[in-house]
Amino acid sequence: MANPSAVCNGHLHHHHHQKQNNLLKSGICKKNGITKGMKKNGVSNGTLYKKTFIEHFEQAPMYVAVLTFLGFGVGTVFGYLRDFMRAWGLEKRNIAAEREQQKDFVPLYQDFENFYTRNLYMRIRDNWNRPICSVPGPQFDLMERVTDDYNWTFRFTGRTIKNVINMGSYNYLGFAETDVNALKTVAIELQKYGTGVCSTRQEMGTLDKHVEIEKLVAKFLGVEDAMVFGMGFATNSMNIPALVGKGCLILSDELNHTSLVLGARLSGATIRIFKHNNMQSLENLLRDAIIYGQPRSRRAWRKIIILVEGIYSMEGSIVRLPEIVSLKKKYKAYLYLDEAHSIGAVGATGRGVVEYFGMSPDDVDVLMGTFTKSFGAAGGYLAGKKDLVDFLRTHSHSAAYATSMCPAVAEQIIRAMKCLMGLDGTTQGLQRVRQLGKNTRYFRRRLHEMGFIIYGNDDSPVVPLLLYMPGKIGAFARRMLEKNIGVVVVGFPATPITESRARFCVSAAHTREMLDTVLNALDELGDFLRLKYSRYSKSSHPELYEETSLELED
Amino acid sequence: MDIKSMKSYLYWLYCQFELITCSYLMEPWEKVLFYTFNISMLVMVLYTAYIFIPVHLSTAFQFFLHLFGNQHENTVSIVK
């Protein structure tokens, strides 16, 4: 990483301001992490973090929060008005309603609960579920659709919008491609095995392909054994119940993905939540758990397991793995690391957060990941010690009841992994990882310079750009599509109410020109929609920094 | 040229208003309703200000004059 004191003024200035920002103004006061990371070169904390850990969570000025609530207030008032008109028959009802004969029964559709969906989401619904009709590579084709009745129904005009730049797909290493040479082995396996497996792992669904891929995954991660499943979400939700049960304690991060939350709830264990990436909070919970034990009987917990993710996809933040591992060793808990977004995307050779922090995979008890994001396939894996994986093979719900992975998909994963490891004889895999790192750093740096508020770690390829106001969510997505760029915007239920955002996923397949097109469009749109809320932007002439920047872009 | 940039600036201001108050998302009849309500509120506030503020100001001025300025009136009458 670049030595901050050696680079040009702008970069040092930027770091200095970030330190002030984080210490004084950040609403989320991270005591252990940010202050340690902000000390240059990790001098005072050289034992845990081998390189600087810089995360930004800048708060917007107060007037932005006020205006956001104002916008939501107006939306709510009009929502009540529309509901009133619908209830009194002044307007046609477009949502599901019961039949006349069942009006006296217990209501099937609870009207008020869907207030937000009916009145606010419906107005901007055309920005989601857009059907695409090509491979989701760096550019893709969209089917054009129009609505005649304000987004209640859509119809396709028959045209396709071609070559829309794709900033929303989780295609981190660019393996979602249709190049015939690349997919040669996949086509051969498809001819050999067909598409369906028609059985579960425990019955007749374990093919030699599965054995091959499991060995390869174990070798890639540096662990003893691994097991693969057909669906990434189901890997979490179906296997956590097999690992923990009643009488165990789960300590889960505030912002964990739904699959982890669902798995934790299904297991029947006690769940306690610690603040996002906050090690003080986690340590307090661990101490309380060990001192007080189970709630009524005061017995010791059978097992304490910590559930965290490698990269959190809504924030772009990276887990503080060294601190968590030292905590887990001190208090003798287990660690379950979900590397869905970080496997392949971070680390010098793409082996995830474990490699990013320079730690050994033996420190983490259960390594989980998915193949959906960086490998251009589908499915998930669980890896760790051989005893653990053998236990899962017999006790997992997914192994007993879910269909196993399709062999052609398995072959795609095998070829992608071999490419990453360099086993196919080329350095293409390493080049992709490096390109992703370069693209990520460039994109984030330019966005910071322009003055947008960006969340997350400087090395994470997930870039959330804060929009705040509900009116701007729809305007942003629509205008970006007019400029031929496809983005994903996220609003209330998935994020806190005042912090709606647009989430960009940088890919190794994006060229510099594509990123520049996107950045220019963002610049223009940022000025038009007034999105540049950051108080720490550098200058309006970023071209001047391009030549004098001494940041090492390897 | 100035008129054109002025017009585009006003259009941009109007867009900002639309975005902040979510009227960008409303159907046309809802917009009419919303703007009517807003403009009528604004007109009422301005009218009230126009009628009442001068009266209030002069009353306040006289009150303070009376509080501090009996001497002032005396001096005026002596000179006269």
Side-chain angles (χ1 to χ4, degrees):
Chain A
M1 296 297 284
N3 182 346
S5 55
V7 297
C8 66
N9 273 341
H11 214 59
L12 177 61
H13 190 64
H14 183 62
H15 277 302
H16 180 65
H17 265 237
Q18 281 313 122
K19 175 177 175 180
Q20 269 190 334
N21 165 40
N22 282 320
L23 287 179
L24 298 177
K25 293 200 169 81
S26 171
I28 308 168
C29 183
K30 298 184 173 47
K31 292 182 223 164
N32 279 342
I34 285 291
T35 50
K36 281 176 184 169
M38 277 299 113
K39 292 194 165 68
K40 307 292 190 280
N41 297 327
V43 162
S44 70
N45 192 20
T47 50
L48 276 184
Y49 286 89
K50 299 189 177 81
K51 49 184 168 182
T52 52
F53 187 89
I54 303 169
E55 284 197 340
H56 316 285
F57 288 100
E58 188 182 338
Q59 261 195 336
M62 178 61 91
Y63 73 86
V64 174
V66 171
L67 292 176
T68 310
F69 278 118
L70 172 72
F72 271 110
V74 170
T76 314
V77 163
F78 274 92
Y80 278 122
L81 175 69
R82 298 294 292 269
D83 274 352
F84 172 77
M85 289 174 54
R86 274 187 273 255
W88 282 80
L90 295 167
E91 192 187 342
K92 188 162 81 93
R93 269 179 242 206
N94 280 320
I95 50 168
E98 292 137 320
R99 297 189 310 190
E100 280 305 314
Q101 301 95 318
Q102 290 175 324
K103 285 285 181 201
D104 290 330
F105 292 13
V106 172
L108 194 55
Y109 306 105
Q110 293 287 6
D111 273 331
F112 191 72
E113 278 168 10
N114 298 328
F115 180 83
Y116 178 81
T117 314
R118 231 182 7 251
N119 294 309
L120 285 165
Y121 174 73
M122 276 296 170
R123 294 177 192 265
I124 40 177
R125 193 164 82 115
D126 59 310
N127 297 313
W128 290 283
N129 300 345
R130 291 180 183 149
I132 69 176
C133 49
S134 75
V135 67
Q139 287 179 323
F140 61 165
D141 302 334
L142 273 181
M143 296 175 73
E144 196 187 21
R145 53 179 190 168
V146 294
T147 174
D148 302 314
D149 52 357
Y150 299 102
N151 293 344
W152 286 96
T153 58
F154 293 104
R155 74 188 155 81
F156 295 105
T157 59
R159 270 188 50 213
T160 49
I161 311 176
K162 296 232 170 263
N163 289 337
V164 179
I165 298 183
N166 185 358
M167 294 305 291
S169 289
Y170 308 129
N171 184 18
Y172 298 130
L173 293 176
F175 280 118
E177 53 195 353
T178 45
D179 180 28
V180 178
N181 286 333
L183 296 179
K184 227 177 350 189
T185 46
V186 179
I188 295 173
E189 299 299 325
L190 193 60
Q191 298 281 7
K192 183 173 163 196
Y193 289 98
T195 47
V197 183
C198 308
S199 183
T200 68
R201 285 298 294 265
Q202 286 185 358
E203 291 174 8
M204 286 212 277
T206 304
L207 308 172
D208 51 355
K209 269 282 163 241
H210 296 131
V211 177
E212 190 186 339
I213 189 178
E214 284 170 5
K215 285 213 187 74
L216 191 62
V217 169
K219 190 168 156 200
F220 179 68
L221 296 170
V223 289
E224 287 177 23
D225 202 359
M227 182 172 180
V228 300
F229 303 93
M231 183 178 162
F233 187 100
T235 309
N236 272 332
S237 52
M238 297 293 115
N239 287 305
I240 296 180
L243 294 173
V244 288
K246 262 182 132 60
C248 301
L249 177 64
I250 293 183
L251 297 173
S252 141
D253 189 292
E254 203 179 16
L255 299 176
N256 267 340
H257 190 252
T258 315
S259 56
L260 290 164
V261 172
L262 189 60
R265 286 183 189 167
L266 279 176
S267 67
T270 312
I271 308 176
R272 300 213 176 130
I273 313 238
F274 63 92
K275 297 206 182 67
H276 177 59
N277 241 359
N278 188 336
M279 298 300 113
Q280 279 300 80
S281 173
L282 177 59
E283 182 158 15
N284 287 340
L285 282 180
L286 277 167
R287 291 177 80 95
D288 283 343
I290 294 189
I291 293 171
Y292 295 112
Q294 298 191 30
R296 273 175 306 218
S297 60
R298 296 295 188 214
R299 287 192 208 158
W301 293 101
R302 278 178 42 211
K303 223 183 284 188
I304 301 181
I305 193 166
I306 306 173
L307 292 183
V308 284
E309 291 188 37
I311 291 186
Y312 292 89
S313 63
M314 271 307 147
E315 312 284 312
S317 51
I318 297 187
V319 67
R320 295 175 187 285
L321 197 60
E323 294 181 56
I324 292 192
V325 168
S326 68
L327 275 177
K328 127 183 150 70
K329 285 185 180 151
K330 179 174 170 187
Y331 293 102
K332 300 198 176 33
Y334 295 103
L335 181 58
Y336 183 108
L337 180 65
D338 175 347
E339 292 207 77
H341 285 270
S342 54
I343 191 76
V346 289
T349 57
R351 282 166 164 82
V353 278
V354 173
E355 189 188 23
Y356 177 74
F357 286 110
M359 309 183 65
S360 140
D362 297 326
D363 291 331
V364 182
D365 301 294
V366 189
L367 283 158
M368 179 265 171
T370 60
F371 300 116
T372 334
K373 280 91 184 182
S374 303
F375 297 95
Y381 66 85
L382 269 171
K385 298 251 177 310
K386 190 163 189 321
D387 303 330
L388 171 75
V389 179
D390 285 342
F391 176 81
L392 278 175
R393 284 189 214 277
T394 34
H395 288 89
S396 157
H397 292 295
S398 199
Y401 300 108
T403 318
S404 46
M405 188 185 269
C406 163
V409 171
E411 178 56 35
Q412 156 74 5
I413 300 167
I414 290 175
R415 76 120 184 140
M417 226 172 234
K418 281 192 175 155
C419 181
L420 261 187
M421 290 164 81
L423 293 176
D424 60 344
T426 65
T427 52
Q428 203 196 58
L430 211 51
Q431 274 171 11
R432 284 178 194 248
V433 177
R434 296 246 170 98
Q435 183 66 31
L436 177 64
K438 259 194 341 197
N439 283 355
T440 305
R441 282 195 293 273
Y442 176 67
F443 197 67
R444 275 180 174 266
R445 181 172 59 90
R446 285 287 304 270
L447 284 176
H448 271 297
E449 281 170 15
M450 286 184 203
F452 291 101
I453 293 188
I454 309 284
Y455 274 8
N457 193 302
D458 273 345
D459 286 318
S460 109
V462 179
V463 186
L465 189 153
L466 275 279
L467 297 173
Y468 296 105
M469 294 174 204
K472 295 192 182 179
I473 305 177
F476 186 81
R478 284 177 199 152
R479 278 171 196 267
M480 287 299 268
L481 188 59
E482 277 165 28
K483 294 186 203 273
N484 238 20
I485 301 172
V487 295
V488 170
V489 287
V490 206
F492 166 52
T495 64
I497 193 157
T498 41
E499 293 173 17
S500 47
R501 57 199 75 174
R503 183 182 66 180
F504 297 100
C505 291
V506 184
S507 159
H510 284 134
T511 59
R512 197 41 97 89
E513 290 81 36
M514 285 185 214
L515 288 182
D516 281 335
T517 318
V518 175
L519 285 164
N520 290 337
L522 280 175
D523 201 4
E524 223 178 286
L525 211 52
D527 284 328
F528 183 73
L529 294 176
R530 294 274 316 254
L531 292 173
K532 299 187 178 178
Y533 299 116
S534 175
R535 286 169 281 195
Y536 303 106
S537 67
K538 282 206 277 188
S539 105
S540 55
H541 294 284
E543 311 88 61
L544 293 177
Y545 285 93
E546 194 66 58
E547 289 93 58
T548 57
S549 163
L550 296 176
E551 182 183 345
L552 298 171
E553 284 189 4
D554 29 63
Chain B
M1 280 307 120
D2 210 31
I3 301 288
K4 195 141 197 248
S5 68
M6 189 59 137
K7 268 183 12 187
S8 63
Y9 179 65
L10 284 177
Y11 175 68
W12 179 80
L13 269 185
Y14 169 66
C15 279
Q16 291 304 305
F17 172 77
E18 264 201 329
L19 284 172
I20 290 176
T21 56
C22 281
S23 49
Y24 174 79
L25 307 174
M26 293 180 195
E27 299 172 24
W29 63 269
E30 287 175 332
K31 269 193 202 175
V32 164
L33 204 61
F34 186 61
Y35 290 157
T36 316
F37 175 75
N38 274 1
I39 291 177
S40 56
M41 282 285 134
L42 194 66
V43 163
M44 277 198 274
V45 165
L46 285 175
Y47 180 69
T48 316
Y50 175 70
I51 297 288
F52 284 106
I53 285 188
V55 176
H56 279 163
L57 276 179
S58 69
T59 319
F61 184 62
Q62 279 180 7
F63 173 73
F64 280 114
L65 207 61
H66 182 72
L67 200 60
F68 297 120
N70 263 332
Q71 304 128 13
H72 186 251
E73 279 191 358
N74 285 338
T75 54
V76 167
S77 58
I78 287 174
V79 165
K80 212 170 175 175

